[in-house]
Amino acid sequence: MNAERCFHCGEAIPPGFDLRVDIRGQQQSMCCHGCAAVTAWIAGQQLEQFYRQREANAPRPNVRSAQWWQSFNRPAIQDQCTETLPNGHRRMPVVVSNMRCAACAWLLETALTRLSGVSSIFINFATGRGELEWDPQQVALADLLQRADEIGYPVAPAALALHTQQRSESQAANRRLIVASIGMMQVMMYAVGLYIGAVQDMPLETRDFLRWIALLVATPVVFYSGWPFFAAAFIQLRLRRPGMDVPVALALAIAWSASCIHTFTGSGEVYLDSAVMFVFFLGLSRYLEQRARAQATAMSAVNTSILPLLATRLDANGVAQLLGVHELQPGATLLVSAGDTIPADGTVLADEQGQVRVDESMLSGESVPLTKTHGQTVLAGSVVTDGPLRMQVTAVGRDTVLASIERELEHAAVRQGERFVWLQQAAVWFIVAVLTLATITLVFWQQQAGWETAISNTLAVLVITCPCALSLAAPTVIAAARARLLEEGILLLDNDALMNLPQCRHLVVDKTGTLTSGSFSVQQVLLAPGVQQADVLSICAALERHSRHPLASAFVAQQVSTPATQVTEYPGAGLAGTVGDQHYWLGSAALIRQQLAGVSTADFSRLHTSAAAAQRNPAQAHKALWLADGQRLLARIEVADDIKPDATAVLQQLGLPVTMLSGDQTAAVQHTAQTLGIVDARAQLLPQQKLAALQQLQQGQRKVMAVGDGINDAPLLAAADVGIAIGAASSLARSKATVVVLHEQLSALLKLGDIARQANTLLRQNLGWAIAYNLLAVPFAMAGQIPPWAAAIGMSLSSLLVVLNSLRLRRMRVPEYQHNGVPGQHGFSATKREQLATSQS
């Protein structure tokens, strides 16, 4: 007598144990108090439909102690696993265990969403990965994880569990593919013998023997290697959302069942060769697709595992001490030897040579090591090529640029563009059409020629129209494009950006940090009589060491002979402090006039006239700083924000109308616009005004690309059809952008345009081939002109062609940036824009 099974988990109920829970008026038996508690909670939340939708029994809860989950509330752990959003919420990529069907994902999402404070949750059943966002002021992370554990689906931070899960999934896929390949080779050997025997009158005993052997070999291929297709098809049918696995599973079931019947009866045809070929080639196509996705992730190499485990910290006396990277704190002084990886973000402290060289290719794609001097920023994950480097830590762990890039990649992995969701929905309707055509074929040929011919032709229709090529057309291109862009130091955060880029008809740019370097430099110094330039620059550098204003970057390379003390900063005007025995003021003319009544107007006029007579660099908008002591004006120091050297050529080669939207002063904006040949330049704009200007440009369904880097650019980047955050962009700008450029070079826009154009071309080729193939092959299959084995080869080759065509993007050459390049040659052709405008009108 079979033991009674638990209604929730399906395990045997211990003898003499009687515990029941009411589910819609029916008493259901439970094996333990844990299952009873979960079932009662599901019923109390009116989620009983979970039991109707589930494909398999739910997992038996193995609840951990509340103390164990409370450890996840510790700030040190959350800083490693979560990201703080601008609205104060936290977001965490997660890995979910014990999910056995789509109903499990639905139950977990519903259960956590009903907790107060959960903003959103997304669980991808196919991958076991997801993303959780919540308000820490309303609900603790430990409460969320504990609730998931209580209902039987432990949720772990992806940072802790993802690598192990990916390795396990890859190993399982490899085993299935190996079994399919070995089985296919064996079955094809027997099939060749059967085909020859059909022509040369093979004895029935030998034919039946070969059929039995082929059936024994093919069965594990169909039900082990092909099991993912059956499992996924069952879920899709249960949820009434047919996917590509439905016709695949149906074809395999028909081929194997018909072959079994004909092998047992000794009559009719067997289709075991078609079944195993179908499983192998389809598995191979998916394997190549997964490899492409894995390479896209691996190509980024942007993960915190590249950081060293130990770092060398220098104490106040310069004594070195080894400690774990996780123990570092902002403000610490580190020593990084040549060839070592920098463990944290920080700024350079002057060494004996005055400069070091750092390889940032892992982060930005820039292959040439960069020279860094005192005060300049260095990033975790970079490698010191010419050291040693002394640095002061500014950010560690989750606060580093490297960690933020890793979070952006993780977030992008679960985001899909609207257009690609539409392609998936179109595939559903295609599958419905395929099943309809297969039914018509079965009915027609059963009436015309009997069941054997009907099954053979129906099987050919199901196999040859398998929507693998259609379903793989977009994902493989996206995976290849992501990997290709990462090689150039570009992160694609939204798939729709690839589609929109070649259609953009206007470019909107910010000025400071986008067209200009955002780093000021000293251009000229006008001195009062008897004053030495070296003394002036040393005093300015000593004062500016205490300032975080962008103008302070102009003096980071200057040597300081005597440190400044008693420094006072006047916001928006300048600063004052004591250097040696003398008190100095450095800043605007208004500040000097306000603080020093003894400075005459004639002093300002004399230095101002000298500056006007001096020759200026036309590629720079100068700003004047004045230095004075207690009695007189000492110097006028002109600093400038350099225009990026590639800005002019890049804007010309993009071939797009350009509008500059800046919050800077009118004179600086107009100067930059004139230098770069920008006709439409608008200054002193607030973020809301930038957004209004963008929306005006978007009228008439015109697509606009926006490039910026500051906090005030975030609304602009979010509203643009393609929003690009460039260089050392603020975290808010990065979060609103659809594309992030990891370096400062504007030439990345040209490469982005080229790769987007190539990706669109490959996507059109893939979709065109998939549609044309089906339109041509289906009539022949329905007419009985294509046997099932040929259909399996045709379908497999079609899918392989799509995958291999997409992978060509990895090898396509991107034209190098040229100072005298042809306008519009990088994916933004003016002729195409005009054609698009005409077609839209």
Side-chain angles (χ1 to χ4, degrees), residues 288-298 413 471-472 474-476 478-480:
L288 291 177
E289 178 202 359
Q290 292 172 355
R291 282 289 302 274
R293 292 175 181 269
Q295 288 176 0
T297 302
S471 299
L472 293 174
T476 51
I478 291 298

Side-chain angles (χ1 to χ4, degrees), residues 249-259 271 455-456 458-459 462:
L250 186 59
L252 291 175
I254 292 175
W256 186 84
S257 300
S259 299
Y271 311 103
I455 290 175
S456 177
T458 302
L459 187 60
L462 287 172

Side-chain angles (χ1 to χ4, degrees), residues 288 291-292 295 299 476-477 479-485 487-488 754-755 758-759 762 765 800-816:
L288 291 177
R291 282 289 302 274
Q295 288 176 0
M299 275 305 303
T476 51
V477 170
R482 286 183 184 277
R484 188 70 182 85
L485 288 169
E487 292 177 353
E488 304 294 341
D754 289 327
I755 296 173
Q758 294 170 355
L762 293 178
Q765 291 174 354
L800 286 173
L801 180 63
V802 166
V803 173
L804 295 177
N805 187 52
S806 300
L807 293 178
R808 287 197 306 127
L809 185 60
R810 296 290 305 280
R811 300 187 299 273
M812 285 183 172
R813 181 178 176 272
V814 176
E816 293 295 331

Side-chain angles (χ1 to χ4, degrees), residues 93-105:
V94 298
V95 174
V96 185
S97 304
N98 293 346
M99 286 199 304
R100 301 176 181 177
C101 63
C104 298

Side-chain angles (χ1 to χ4, degrees), residues 121-170:
I121 179 173
F122 169 78
I123 302 295
N124 188 328
F125 161 68
T127 62
R129 297 170 60 182
E131 189 174 77
L132 176 64
E133 180 181 334
W134 74 98
D135 183 357
Q137 300 299 324
Q138 298 187 45
V139 62
L141 175 59
D143 296 336
L144 300 178
L145 300 181
Q146 188 172 358
R147 172 57 58 85
D149 190 43
E150 288 172 349
I151 61 176
Y153 304 101
V155 172
L160 304 179
L162 185 57
H163 299 299
T164 301
Q165 185 203 47
Q166 288 178 334
R167 184 165 54 251
S168 176
E169 292 174 352
S170 176

Side-chain angles (χ1 to χ4, degrees), residues 63-75:
V63 181
R64 296 178 182 267
S65 65
Q67 183 179 3
W68 192 87
W69 288 117
Q70 287 299 323
S71 63
F72 282 92
N73 285 338
R74 296 170 58 187

